């Protein structure tokens, strides 16, 4: 798999490439500087040789003068003393001439001139100096000197003058060249070294920014994660592996945070379930002890004291009612077990909800003198398919809740009608309502909200069981509530049309 | 629920020399109020309250000789009733017997201002002797 961006180049390769490039540049700069210095030295040497050549030319010319003066002096005086500089000059002439030509060979034009001068000197000595010294006749010497020697010598001197002036010009050129080359070398050295220093600095900055800083940030981030702050994220930059490191770090922090959130929410759920369990213990304790007190207390009284028949029957009635309450309570708990084990009894038949509602309303209206249970049904019958005992349980639970949660008394309205093929039942009270923060939990098993504290009895199971029953009938249950104004619970069950019940209601919707 | 009643047999053999003691029963469960009445037998007058608010109203009205108080009451909890009784000059000295199904410890309830403590289910004879002790004191 290839990355589309520049991070494909690994960090090691980048460092290697950068180091090699930097080294190459530095080496290049040094080579160039050394070359420039060497060129400057060559130019200086050439300049020196030029000066040597001029000196050599002057020395040679001096020898030629010695030869000339020697010849002339001896020829006119016959004094052998004049021959001393001549002989010395002739003796050293060959080596000086060789030196002269050798020194002059740097520059072709000057080499040509030197060669010519050398040949002229050779010709002058061979054809003039040596033959003239052999002459006995002074007049012949003078003639030869005047006609040949002087002209030749003058020519040689002229050529020497040209040569030296040329060589001086050349020497000045070379001096200028040497100056310029050494200046050039110096400049190159300064520029090259400065450039290399800047490049090294840039490389260091690149290392610091591109690698050191992200790595430092990652280390700081890791420290924060270790300290428990999982919200930390790094800016995803830096080359190759460093970029990968920050990316991986962020992914790790992300995953750690997700895991911790999950754990925390599981923990909260556990705590909630612990709390519900503890509530349940209190609830069971209260719900069992109150009827149990009635049963045990009245039984004890009946056993230990004498009462008249009417009182006895009354007390036995209470014992019976309280024992039934215990039994109902047990049923509630068993229902929960059945819900949890998924084996709720669901034998279904045709049920008229209108009749069922009337019967339940009547039952509960007898139980609470403070409440008035009103039933509004415009279209009877309201046929559904379901288990009549279970549906009765749901409606009974809703009406009983409506009564319990409006302790001041008031109207409990039971309203039912057809709606979009469903049978909709509403149970409306004018009671305390459900606080907003508890509305999402009221179908939770054993949840009782503030009910326990306000002395309202119950197990926290009724609505959980009711919802399971309604859903097993393909319906839904819900509510609307405003705190302090009352609550309306509704149940919607799939309706059945065109049904005749034995009681003789006609289904006027068919 | 608010009711004032006398025991069934008024003046059947009890000496007339003593004013009959009044007991305020505070419990939201009618069956338990009846059990308490039946346990006490004759010789007391009863006032009954089914929630904490009524309990306070009745207490101020009749100034009972004893309050029997269930801690789990609608509208105003038993502990709150206990606190208000203790704050009331005229009711501070009325002995209170607490009946509860909850798991409060005896110490907590006595510390809250109760004089006696009975848990559900209770023995009617125990309740009667506790009441007699408190009323006599």
């Amino acid at each position: 798999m290839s990355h589309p961006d520049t991070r494909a180049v690994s960090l090691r390769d980048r460092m290697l490439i950068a180091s090699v490039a930097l080294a190459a540049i530095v080496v290049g700069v040094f080579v160039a500087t050394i070359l420039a210095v060497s060129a400057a030295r060559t130019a200086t040497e050439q300049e020196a040789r030029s000066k040597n050549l001029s000196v050599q030319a002057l020395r040679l010319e001096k020898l030629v003068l010695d030869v000339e003066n020697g010849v002339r002096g001896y020829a006119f005086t016959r004094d052998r003393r004049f021959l001393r500089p001549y002989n010395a000059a002739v003796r050293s002439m060959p080596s000086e001439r060789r030196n002269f030509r050798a020194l002059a060979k740097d520059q072709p034009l000057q080499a040509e001139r030197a060669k010519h001068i050398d040949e002229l000197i050779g010709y002058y000595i061979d054809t003039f100096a040596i033959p003239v010294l052999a002459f006995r006749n002074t007049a012949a010497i003078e003639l030869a000197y005047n006609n040949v020697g002087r002209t030749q010598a003058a020519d040689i001197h002229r050529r020497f003058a040209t040569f030296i002036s040329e060589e001086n010009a050349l020497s000045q050129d070379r001096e200028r060249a040497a100056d310029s080359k050494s200046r050039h070398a110096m400049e190159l050295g300064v520029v090259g070294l400065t450039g290399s220093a800047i490049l090294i600095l840039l490389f260091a900055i690149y290392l610091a920014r591109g690698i050191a800083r992200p790595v430092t940030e990652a280390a700081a981030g890791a420290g924060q994660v270790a300290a428990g702050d999982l919200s930390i994220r790094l800016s995803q930059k830096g080359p190759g592996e460093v970029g990968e490191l920050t990316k991986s770090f962020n992914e790790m922090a992300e995953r750690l945070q997700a895991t911790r959130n999950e754990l925390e929410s599981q923990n909260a759920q556990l705590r909630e379930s612990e709390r519900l369990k503890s509530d349940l213990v209190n609830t069971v304790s209260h719900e069992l002890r109150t009827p149990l007190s009635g049963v045990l207390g009245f039984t004890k009284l009946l056993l230990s004291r004498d009462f008249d028949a009417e009182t006895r029957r009354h007390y036995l009635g209470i014992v019976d009612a309280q024992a039934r309450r215990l039994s109902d309570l047990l049923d509630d708990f068993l229902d929960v077990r059945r819900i949890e084990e998924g084996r709720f009894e669901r034998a279904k038949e045709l049920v008229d909800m209108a009749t069922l509602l009337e019967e339940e309303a009547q039952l509960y209206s007898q139980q609470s003198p403070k409440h008035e249970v009103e039933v509004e049904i415009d279209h009877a019958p309201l046929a559904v398919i379901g288990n009549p005992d279970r549906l009765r349980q749901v409606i009974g639970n809703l009406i009983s809740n409506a009564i319990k949660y409006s302790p001041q008394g008031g109207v409990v309205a039971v309203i039912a009608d057809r709606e979009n093929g469903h049978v909709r039942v509403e149970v409306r009270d004018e009671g305390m309502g459900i606080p907003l923060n508890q509305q999402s939990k009221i179908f939770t098993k054993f949840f009782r909200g503030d009910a326990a504290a306000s002395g309202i009895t119950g197990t926290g199971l009724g609505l959980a069981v009711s919802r399971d029953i309604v859903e097993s009938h393909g319906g839904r249950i819900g509510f609307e509530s405003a705190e302090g104004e009352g609550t309306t619970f509704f149940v919607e069950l799939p309706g059945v049309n065109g049904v005749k019940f034995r009681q003789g209601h006609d289904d006027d919707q068919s | 629920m608010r009711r004032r009643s006398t025991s069934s047999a008024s003046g059947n053999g009890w000496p007339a020399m003593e004013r009959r003691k009044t007991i305020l029963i505070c419990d939201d469960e009618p069956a338990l109020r009846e059990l308490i009445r039946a346990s006490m037998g004759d010789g007391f007058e009863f006032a009954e309250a089914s929630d904490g608010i009524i309990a306070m109203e009745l207490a101020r009205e009749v100034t009972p000789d004893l309050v029997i108080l269930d801690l789990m009451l609608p509208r105003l909890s038993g502990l709150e009733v206990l606190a208000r009784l203790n704050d009331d000059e005229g009711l501070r000295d009325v002995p209170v017997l607490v009946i509860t199904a909850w798991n409060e410890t005896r110490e907590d309830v006595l510390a809250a201002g109760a004089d006696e403590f009975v848990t559900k289910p209770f023995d009617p004879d125990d309740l009667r002797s506790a009441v007699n002790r408190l009323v006599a004191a």
Side-chain angles (χ1 to χ4, degrees):
Chain A
M1 192 178 122
S2 68
H3 293 264
D5 58 3
T6 52
R7 285 181 193 157
V9 183
S10 78
L11 183 60
R12 202 196 56 166
D13 291 352
R14 276 168 176 251
M15 303 269 293
L16 219 59
I17 290 166
S19 303
V20 166
L22 198 60
I25 288 167
V26 171
V27 165
V29 165
F30 272 92
V31 165
T33 309
I34 286 165
L35 285 179
V37 167
S38 130
R41 210 177 65 194
T42 308
T44 311
E45 276 171 13
Q46 277 181 345
E47 187 201 338
R49 276 165 68 174
S50 220
K51 291 216 162 80
N52 288 344
L53 180 57
S54 297
V55 170
Q56 185 65 28
L58 287 173
R59 278 171 62 173
L60 194 58
E61 196 182 359
K62 165 79 169 39
L63 290 183
V64 173
L65 270 177
D66 284 352
V67 168
E68 192 185 348
N69 288 336
V71 168
R72 197 173 52 179
Y74 179 73
F76 286 110
T77 62
R78 289 288 162 184
D79 184 346
R80 295 206 69 90
R81 277 182 305 175
F82 284 102
L83 284 181
R84 247 183 277 153
Y86 166 86
N87 286 333
V90 169
R91 254 198 320 276
S92 56
M93 190 72 90
S95 72
E96 294 294 338
R97 280 168 59 191
R98 264 200 312 279
N99 275 349
F100 176 63
R101 284 187 63 173
L103 282 171
K105 75 174 186 289
D106 274 1
Q107 217 273 339
L109 210 60
Q110 288 290 82
E112 194 58 38
R113 286 195 184 103
K115 187 183 166 217
H116 199 189
I117 288 171
D118 184 46
E119 282 166 4
L120 284 177
I121 290 170
Y123 184 77
Y124 174 71
I125 289 173
D126 291 346
T127 60
F128 167 72
I130 294 170
V132 163
L133 287 179
F135 290 169
R136 304 279 173 207
N137 185 332
T138 316
I141 291 170
E142 196 169 343
L143 192 70
Y145 177 76
N146 283 337
N147 289 343
V148 181
R150 191 191 294 208
T151 323
Q152 279 186 354
D155 187 32
I156 287 169
H157 288 310
R158 213 171 42 247
R159 283 179 188 277
F160 262 121
T162 308
F163 182 89
I164 286 167
S165 103
E166 279 298 318
E167 193 57 39
N168 279 345
L170 207 60
S171 170
Q172 271 175 13
D173 281 353
R174 281 177 174 169
E175 194 183 341
R176 269 198 300 278
D179 278 356
S180 125
K181 274 185 179 154
S182 58
R183 206 169 45 245
H184 175 69
M186 200 112 86
E187 281 167 6
L188 196 65
V190 168
V191 168
L193 284 176
T194 312
S196 299
I198 287 171
L199 277 177
I200 288 168
L201 196 68
L202 286 177
F203 186 56
I205 289 172
Y206 166 79
L207 281 182
R209 291 176 61 103
I211 298 164
R213 201 159 68 183
V215 168
T216 310
E217 277 176 15
Q224 271 173 281
V225 167
D229 177 11
L230 298 183
S231 65
I232 187 84
R233 295 288 181 277
L234 303 177
S235 51
Q236 292 192 10
K237 62 184 184 209
E241 289 88 338
V242 175
E244 292 293 321
L245 171 70
T246 54
K247 206 173 124 201
S248 302
F249 180 92
N250 285 347
E251 281 168 9
M252 177 195 74
E254 194 84 37
R255 225 167 293 145
L256 275 176
Q257 198 171 28
T259 310
R260 187 166 73 176
N261 289 346
E262 204 175 304
L263 278 176
E264 275 172 357
S265 93
Q266 276 175 6
N267 222 347
Q269 277 173 12
L270 273 179
R271 273 201 301 275
E272 173 72 5
S273 111
E274 276 303 307
R275 202 184 57 72
L276 287 175
K277 216 182 273 177
S278 131
D279 281 0
L280 173 67
V281 170
N282 285 337
T283 304
V284 167
S285 162
H286 181 267
E287 290 303 302
L288 288 176
R289 282 182 187 197
T290 301
L292 205 57
S293 298
V295 172
L296 292 176
F298 280 110
T299 309
K300 181 87 189 291
L301 282 179
L302 286 165
L303 286 173
S304 63
R305 300 182 198 176
D306 288 328
F307 296 104
D308 59 54
E310 195 192 337
T311 310
R312 208 161 46 230
R313 196 174 299 113
H314 177 60
Y315 287 172
L316 281 171
I318 294 175
V319 170
D320 179 57
Q322 297 299 320
R324 273 176 205 285
R325 227 175 104 181
L326 282 174
S327 163
D328 288 348
L329 200 62
L330 205 58
D331 282 347
D332 270 1
F333 282 107
L334 288 178
D335 283 349
V336 173
R337 280 287 301 282
R338 289 197 199 102
I339 289 173
E340 282 173 350
E341 289 169 11
R343 50 179 185 89
F344 219 159
E345 170 201 343
R346 278 163 199 152
K348 285 171 187 166
E349 59 187 71
L350 203 54
V351 179
D352 176 18
M353 285 303 284
T355 312
L356 189 147
L357 288 172
E358 296 279 8
E359 288 169 3
E360 285 297 304
Q362 203 176 357
L363 190 69
Y364 279 95
S365 125
Q366 286 164 357
Q367 289 184 6
S368 173
K370 275 195 285 187
H371 295 84
E372 203 176 321
V373 183
E374 293 176 358
V375 181
E376 281 178 42
I377 299 174
D378 289 342
H379 303 96
L382 297 168
V384 298
I385 298 285
N387 182 297
D389 294 335
R390 292 299 171 203
L391 293 176
R392 203 174 284 282
Q393 195 179 343
V394 172
I395 300 305
N397 179 246
L398 294 185
I399 297 176
S400 147
N401 277 351
I403 289 171
K404 276 201 287 187
Y405 290 91
S406 46
Q408 310 274 51
V411 174
V412 173
V414 179
I415 305 150
D417 207 342
R418 292 198 189 83
E419 202 180 278
N420 302 326
H422 281 75
V423 170
R424 183 181 168 96
V425 180
E426 285 184 9
V427 178
R428 202 175 284 172
D429 68 53
E430 299 167 341
M432 55 181 72
I434 304 165
L436 211 58
N437 61 354
Q438 296 178 4
Q439 294 196 352
S440 62
K441 299 182 191 162
I442 64 161
F443 287 105
T444 309
K445 261 178 289 171
F446 303 120
F447 178 78
R448 303 206 56 229
D450 300 330
S454 35
I456 295 169
T457 59
T459 55
L461 292 174
L463 285 175
V465 172
S466 294
R467 181 165 69 174
D468 192 73
I469 294 170
V470 171
E471 286 177 355
S472 78
H473 282 75
R476 65 189 192 103
I477 185 170
F479 67 94
E480 278 171 23
S481 183
E483 201 173 351
E485 288 173 26
T487 305
T488 301
F489 271 90
F490 68 85
V491 169
E492 282 178 3
L493 295 164
V496 184
N497 283 344
V499 175
K500 278 185 188 268
F501 286 88
R502 268 179 303 163
Q503 285 84 352
H505 292 298
D506 279 322
D507 188 343
D508 52 9
Q509 286 279 301
S510 57
Chain B
M1 171 71 207
R2 179 193 163 116
R3 184 163 74 181
R4 293 177 65 180
S5 64
T6 53
S7 297
S8 50
S10 58
N12 60 345
W14 284 86
M17 59 177 195
E18 210 177 335
R19 186 182 67 82
R20 304 204 328 157
K21 305 278 187 186
T22 304
I23 297 175
L24 171 59
I25 305 173
C26 313
D27 198 317
D28 62 326
E29 196 63 50
L32 279 186
R33 289 200 301 268
E34 178 145 15
L35 175 62
I36 292 164
R37 278 205 315 271
S39 303
M40 292 303 107
D42 302 331
F44 291 100
E45 287 201 30
F46 297 104
E48 292 178 33
S50 60
D51 69 42
I53 302 275
I54 299 173
M56 283 313 297
E57 282 172 12
L58 271 180
R60 293 198 176 102
E61 203 176 306
V62 306
T63 318
D65 297 289
L66 174 74
V67 176
I68 296 179
L69 183 65
D70 185 0
L71 285 189
M72 206 161 107
L73 287 177
R75 299 218 277 164
L76 195 64
S77 79
L79 285 174
E80 186 63 26
V81 170
L82 207 49
R84 289 191 188 184
L85 287 175
N86 279 326
D87 282 348
D88 192 306
E89 200 120 329
L91 298 170
R92 189 172 297 156
D93 298 329
V94 176
V96 179
L97 185 151
V98 160
I99 299 179
T100 179
W102 287 96
N103 304 325
E104 292 92 354
T105 64
R106 184 181 188 84
E107 288 70 32
D108 286 347
V109 175
L110 295 186
D115 297 273
E116 192 52 82
F117 176 87
V118 170
T119 48
K120 293 179 190 173
F122 54 85
D123 184 307
D125 293 333
D126 290 351
L127 182 69
R128 185 163 63 174
S129 39
V131 166
N132 283 334
R133 243 187 350 261
L134 287 174
V135 171

